[in-house]
Amino acid sequence: MSRITGLLFDFDGVILETEQPGYWSWQKIYAEFGEELGMEQFALVIGTHFIDFNPRAELERRLGRALDWEELERRREQYQREIVARQPVQPGVRELIQEAHAAGVKVAIVSSSPRYWIEHWLNHHQMQGEFDLIMNVDEVPVPKPAPDLYLAALKRLGLKAEDVVAVEDSPNGSKAAHRAGIFCVIVPSEITALLKFEVDFPRLPSLRGVTLAQLEGMKRAYWRGGVCAVSTAAAAKS
């Protein structure tokens, strides 16, 4: 097992806390119609698209009628952006990226979010140019938990799955990493901590103080346990 050659960060919830604001924005829309949206229900959409739960379809189902989503989404996203704009970069993220750059480790974002969303917030926090690659759902339109985004990132960066570490906060994200044969550390948010993680990757309260050496130690221990085997299909794709 070689040293870490790549760090692959999820974006929402890992680099920037956008998920709680996203939940609050949906809560606000639901409240306008006298409805409530539970956190556990909303958490099903985190790290993917509206696959297991669609808040639009659910609200229309409850109301028994179609809604003007163009206007509702405009207001919802504006409200979310106002909250996200006040969020700092998550603890330890900048420091870990800086250490990776100094060590010659490639750094990438692998996200089910669209590019415009990611780049907007990277610019907001003066993080342009910090990443060797931004692999997003505009380029590989199959979101997590499918492994496609991770497999495409590995191919684009010229890295082997066993030599990189992914950082995720959701079951969908960690499942995608596992299906791509990638070791992952999970830093759950308040919302995703409520969910069941099917893959038993290590959990961290945050990335504050976390170093490459610590991540490599966790990766080596995990691989020695034999629980991060790459599926034949994933290996063929990578």
Side-chain angles (χ1 to χ4, degrees):
M1 184 66 61
S2 64
R3 69 177 182 86
I4 294 173
T5 58
L7 282 178
L8 309 182
F9 291 87
D10 180 39
F11 183 74
D12 294 282
V14 171
I15 292 177
L16 194 64
E17 177 52 280
T18 63
E19 290 165 352
Q20 278 280 14
Y23 171 56
W24 294 330
S25 71
W26 276 107
Q27 272 190 318
K28 183 176 173 61
I29 294 298
Y30 269 59
E32 290 180 9
F33 295 94
E35 297 290 335
E36 295 183 3
L37 176 63
M39 184 180 290
E40 295 87 349
Q41 198 169 27
F42 176 77
L44 296 173
V45 309
I46 294 176
T48 187
H49 286 175
F50 296 160
I51 296 174
D52 295 321
F53 172 68
N54 186 326
R56 295 183 183 181
E58 173 63 15
L59 184 55
E60 290 184 338
R61 184 192 67 79
R62 295 187 193 183
L63 298 175
R65 60 187 174 91
L67 297 172
D68 178 6
W69 284 108
E70 183 176 355
E71 171 59 19
L72 289 173
E73 272 293 343
R74 184 191 64 77
R75 290 194 286 108
R76 186 198 68 77
E77 187 167 309
Q78 179 59 34
Y79 180 68
Q80 182 180 6
R81 283 172 176 265
E82 290 172 0
I83 303 172
V84 174
R86 300 194 294 269
Q87 303 297 314
V89 175
Q90 293 284 65
V93 169
R94 290 185 186 273
E95 291 81 2
L96 191 55
I97 291 173
Q98 290 170 359
E99 184 187 1
H101 287 322
V105 173
K106 292 184 178 179
V107 183
I109 289 174
V110 180
S111 172
S112 291
S113 291
R115 179 173 289 273
Y116 82 87
W117 175 260
I118 298 168
E119 290 188 341
H120 173 83
W121 295 115
L122 291 181
N123 291 337
H124 181 79
H125 288 282
Q126 293 81 50
M127 295 181 73
Q128 313 96 310
E130 293 282 335
F131 299 92
D132 297 288
L133 174 69
I134 299 175
M135 183 58 64
N136 62 92
V137 78
D138 296 331
E139 298 192 53
V140 181
V142 184
K144 304 169 187 177
D148 299 50
L149 285 162
Y150 275 114
L151 293 173
L154 291 175
K155 185 175 182 179
R156 189 79 61 84
L157 293 168
L159 301 177
K160 296 180 180 179
E162 61 267 28
D163 296 334
V164 307
V165 173
V167 185
E168 287 280 357
D169 72 315
S170 72
N172 286 318
S174 61
K175 193 184 300 183
H178 182 259
R179 289 174 175 175
I182 296 172
F183 169 72
C184 177
V185 292
I186 298 169
V187 186
S189 66
E190 182 179 347
I191 294 179
T192 59
L194 300 171
L195 299 176
K196 178 182 178 181
F197 285 78
E198 297 179 24
V199 187
D200 190 25
F201 284 126
R203 293 197 190 196
L204 299 172
S206 79
L207 291 177
R208 190 189 304 275
V210 174
T211 65
L212 287 176
Q214 290 171 332
L215 291 177
E216 184 165 348
M218 286 188 280
K219 177 171 71 74
R220 287 175 179 271
Y222 198 77
W223 276 96
R224 281 199 299 269
V227 290
C228 195
V230 187
S231 70
T232 302
K237 288 183 181 181
S238 61

